[in-house]
Amino acid sequence: MNIVLAITFISRGIRVQRSGSFNKRGRTPERVAIDCIQEIKKEMDVEGLLSVIVDGKEDITVKVIKLLKAHLDD
């Protein structure tokens, strides 16, 4: 099953949005978003996460930020 993610973040003081369709492969939408953000970080600086929208309607930004912080604390 595929989901569409729209991730908006700040990079070098500029607001950037990346979006695409991703296969869940048994993962939660939050996990898919985190994996996508980690790939983006390999390409460019990510100074702050502004929003993560799933399928154009569900805002999972707060959940993703909490999971990212928990991942950093490990």
Side-chain angles (χ1 to χ4, degrees), residues 7-35:
I7 301 171
T8 307
F9 57 95
I10 301 294
S11 178
R12 298 184 183 201
I14 298 170
R15 181 184 171 127
V16 180
Q17 183 176 45
R18 290 271 185 102
S19 61
S21 178
F22 301 91
N23 191 320
K24 284 177 62 176
R25 294 186 190 138
R27 301 174 291 176
T28 64
E30 293 84 2
R31 185 73 234 173
V32 176
I34 289 170
D35 291 346

Side-chain angles (χ1 to χ4, degrees), residues 2 6-7 9-12 14-15 17 20 26-28 33 35 43 47-48 50 59-60 63-64 67 69 71 74:
N2 285 346
I7 301 171
F9 57 95
I10 301 294
S11 178
R12 298 184 183 201
I14 298 170
R15 181 184 171 127
Q17 183 176 45
R27 301 174 291 176
T28 64
D35 291 346
E43 299 172 19
E47 298 166 5
L50 299 177
D59 187 343
I60 61 169
K63 293 177 186 177
V64 171
L67 289 171
K69 285 183 182 179
H71 181 70
D74 289 344

